[in-house]
Amino acid sequence: MISSDGGAELHLLTIAQAAELIEKRSLSSVEYVEALIHRIEAVDGQLHAFLTRTFDLALRRARRADAEIAAGGHAGPLHGIPFALKDVFDTAGIRTTGHSRVCADNVPVRDATVTARLHGAGAVPLGKLALHEFGHGGPSFDLPWPPARNPWNLTRVTGGSSSGSAAAVAAGLAPASIGTDTGGSIRVPASRCGITGLMPTFGLVGRTGVIPHAFSFDRCGPMAMTTEDCAILLQAIAGPDPADAGSVHADVPDYRAALGEDLRGLRIGVLRQNWEGEVAVSDDVRHAMEEALAILRGLGATLEDCRIRPMQSYYDIKTVIGETEILSVHHADLVARPAQFGADMLSRMLPALLFTGDDYVRASREQRRAIAEMQPLYREFDAFVTIGSGEAPPFDAHDPVAFWKNANHFTAANVTGQPVLALCNGFSSGGLPLGMQILGRPFGETTLLRIGHAYQTATNWHWRHPTLIDRAPAPPVDEPPLLAGTADECDPALRRLCESAAERAGIALDDQMLAQLLEGAPYAVAMTSRLARDHQHAEQPAHVFGVS
């Protein structure tokens, strides 16, 4: 697979492999960048992973890296390594759009903290990558740029919101990317595209210069082919960020040094409730999970089933807090120019008009209880394991109101602040990647990376690559509907409540926006009702979940 003479396989190199070749000067950064530029030009017309290409800048930085290394100034494993960023990270003098018409002309004057740290490590920027609008609504076809496609099947979604990041890494367009995760946005696309993604502990990686989604949950983390590559990237971007109020001053260990090939002495809790009681999964997913658990046992870990609160509870907490915050972030633009937003983004934001300050406080108190409930489990287990995403669906399977009516198993860790590693654990009978999640204690990234690396050492799922034909056209796909068609089912009293909420917020609703609000409204009201019920017991001792 490794070629050091400009061969066609350079796009399959991992960060660790390329870094070793570049340090030895058997591969130049320029040569590597040129190979990836050729790959991007050959296949990205099918994938739509890139929104902005910075090839001239990449070649200048690559030439500089080669000169520095030749002079004995090798700066570490990212020196001369190309990367591409999800287009929510500010890049000085380079457009940062959030994949939205609202920010189509936004050119920052300074780099985000993450961007600056990658540049400081000597990494080489190839460009900015597609996402679901503002890391939230999508996949959408009513935006200035099309949604990214899954390289394993170009008629399927990548998952979101770090869609272009997952597609670019899986297709060999870039060995490294940084995504963001507020409710699964690193882990879902990593699972669906067969790569590795890490959502670090809340506060470990600075968010200054990142277009915000929800301040209480937003995190930045690495996306790459392997756990080892994620460790390399995390080493570069972790650490205190004085301008980020959510940043935590914690020691940054040597993540790569923590990697090992066995798991002796580790206790792993299995969240079997997710795929046997809460989520309808395929036989392929069940088989992949049982095989993965057997491998973890074979590596020396002790596994035992355990339970946490139902995923609907975590989802209610995350949605009430998160949607209130994203509505606040975009409120001025919703008032001034609502037509600039995509339909799916509006379908997610507008029902949050029904949330009150009381709802936000109740959700915040429930979040604290959910965090407290995990403490006994942290004493019992070193890590936890559950399913990732199943087989990627086609684009037209997307339901515009699904966000409001379907809880998922990704948001628990966003609520508790835990780190999570997502990685491929098999393929479906249809040839699409499947995934699993490994959850850790807060600031337990070294344990997650140890587990992920040992698992990948014992398996070869992460070495599989999709086949793409150079310069082939993207196949046609059926676009998802903009509305679910349920607005007329809203009762008159709730309709009046929705109209009053929009009027108080100063948002003028056209017919489509009103329909989008009405479709999500019953589910938003149900969330607040559940939280109010839970809040009645908020003064009682937190229920402790544990071993099944």
Side-chain angles (χ1 to χ4, degrees):
M1 182 177 68
I2 300 175
S3 169
S4 61
D5 59 358
E9 301 303 305
L10 286 178
H11 68 276
L12 300 181
L13 291 176
T14 67
I15 296 171
Q17 290 169 337
E20 182 179 359
L21 294 172
I22 288 172
E23 182 180 10
K24 292 178 178 177
R25 298 180 61 197
S26 56
L27 172 68
S28 73
S29 179
V30 168
E31 184 180 13
Y32 191 23
V33 168
E34 288 176 340
L36 292 179
I37 290 173
H38 175 79
R39 176 71 173 172
I40 293 165
E41 290 175 338
V43 303
D44 193 45
Q46 305 161 59
L47 293 169
H48 308 304
F50 276 81
L51 300 185
T52 301
R53 300 176 181 184
T54 57
F55 294 167
D56 289 343
L57 174 61
L59 288 168
R60 289 199 301 273
R61 294 284 178 87
R63 285 191 287 269
R64 185 170 75 186
D66 286 339
E68 291 167 344
I69 294 168
H74 184 257
L78 288 179
H79 202 175
I81 298 294
F83 73 96
L85 287 171
K86 182 177 182 178
D87 201 21
V88 291
F89 291 91
D90 280 354
T91 41
I94 300 167
R95 186 178 63 177
T96 300
T97 71
H99 205 133
S100 177
R101 190 174 287 105
V102 174
C103 290
D105 299 318
N106 174 45
V107 180
V109 297
R110 59 180 61 87
D111 286 333
T113 296
V114 164
T115 310
R117 287 179 177 172
L118 289 171
H119 288 161
V124 174
L126 286 168
K128 311 294 287 294
L129 298 169
L131 59 145
H132 288 181
E133 186 174 17
F134 287 126
H136 200 29
S140 303
F141 288 82
D142 58 346
L143 303 176
W145 309 274
R149 299 195 184 197
N150 194 315
W152 292 94
N153 184 327
L154 295 168
T155 67
R156 302 296 182 107
V157 303
T158 59
S161 65
S162 303
S163 54
S165 296
V169 171
L173 309 188
S177 185
I178 308 296
T180 59
D181 196 314
T182 307
S185 288
I186 287 173
R187 294 161 287 153
V188 174
S191 291
R192 287 184 170 170
C193 292
I195 68 165
T196 308
L198 175 65
M199 179 181 73
T201 303
F202 183 84
L204 180 62
V205 178
R207 303 171 299 178
T208 302
V210 182
I211 297 176
H213 179 168
F215 301 103
S216 296
F217 302 121
D218 290 350
R219 299 186 225 175
C220 311
M223 301 177 73
M225 286 306 303
T226 68
T227 300
E228 182 179 21
D229 286 356
C230 285
I232 292 169
L233 287 166
L234 183 62
Q235 198 73 54
I237 63 175
D241 179 359
D244 176 5
S247 179
V248 175
H249 287 260
D251 292 336
V252 177
D254 186 337
Y255 294 113
R256 203 174 179 188
L259 304 181
E261 296 187 1
D262 70 71
L263 304 178
R264 286 174 291 184
L266 291 184
R267 288 182 53 81
I268 298 177
V270 180
L271 300 176
R272 193 177 294 275
Q273 69 188 84
N274 286 155
W275 72 91
E276 291 191 351
E278 295 184 299
V279 179
V281 301
S282 67
D283 289 341
D284 289 337
V285 169
R286 282 191 290 271
H287 177 73
M289 284 304 300
E290 294 306 323
E291 288 289 316
L293 296 178
I295 290 168
L296 295 175
R297 288 190 192 95
L299 290 167
T302 299
L303 273 62
E304 189 170 358
D305 289 359
C306 66
R307 296 186 65 84
I308 57 177
R309 62 167 59 194
M311 68 183 191
Q312 183 69 60
S313 177
Y314 294 108
Y315 196 73
D316 292 346
I317 294 167
K318 183 267 172 184
T319 302
V320 171
I321 295 173
E323 293 311 299
T324 299
E325 291 180 351
I326 197 168
L327 186 64
S328 173
V329 168
H330 296 291
H331 180 259
D333 286 317
L334 277 170
V335 172
R337 45 179 180 161
Q340 297 291 299
F341 291 95
D344 205 70
M345 182 77 176
L346 292 172
S347 290
R348 297 191 181 202
M349 283 196 298
L350 290 173
L353 289 168
L354 299 179
F355 295 150
T356 66
D358 285 345
D359 297 328
Y360 186 89
V361 170
R362 288 169 184 152
S364 298
R365 295 189 71 183
E366 275 304 299
Q367 182 186 13
R368 290 195 292 273
R369 293 180 69 212
I371 292 170
E373 288 166 0
M374 291 302 298
Q375 303 311 307
L377 286 173
Y378 294 150
R379 291 191 289 271
E380 183 76 14
F381 298 104
D382 300 288
F384 309 85
V385 65
T386 189
I387 52 174
S389 285
E391 187 176 81
F395 281 95
D396 62 351
H398 176 66
D399 177 356
V401 78
F403 172 82
W404 286 100
K405 66 183 183 183
N406 297 331
N408 67 59
H409 51 285
F410 289 96
T411 51
N414 294 94
V415 170
T416 59
Q418 296 169 258
V420 187
L421 183 71
L423 66 168
C424 183
N425 69 339
F427 282 76
S428 72
S429 54
L432 292 175
L434 305 174
M436 67 177 179
Q437 298 181 82
I438 305 169
L439 296 77
R441 300 167 178 159
F443 300 101
E445 281 78 5
T446 54
T447 299
L448 294 189
L449 293 165
R450 176 186 168 189
I451 295 170
H453 182 69
Y455 177 80
Q456 289 183 333
T457 299
T459 60
N460 63 3
W461 305 118
H462 57 295
W463 294 126
R464 294 194 182 186
H465 302 284
T467 300
L468 294 166
I469 300 171
D470 286 4
R471 307 191 190 282
V477 296
D478 292 325
E479 298 179 12
L482 298 180
L483 293 168
T486 61
D488 292 340
E489 299 172 9
C490 190
D491 69 72
L494 186 54
R495 183 187 185 97
R496 289 193 295 272
L497 180 65
C498 290
E499 292 172 334
S500 296
E503 184 177 356
R504 287 195 303 274
I507 298 172
L509 300 174
D510 61 22
D511 290 344
Q512 179 172 296
M513 292 171 65
L514 177 59
Q516 290 165 320
L517 171 53
L518 296 177
E519 288 183 337
Y523 305 103
V525 170
M527 286 181 176
T528 60
S529 297
R530 286 189 294 265
L531 280 170
R533 179 196 62 207
D534 292 342
H535 188 64
Q536 293 174 1
H537 308 288
E539 299 305 320
Q540 299 178 9
H543 177 67
V544 176
F545 299 89
V547 177
S548 297

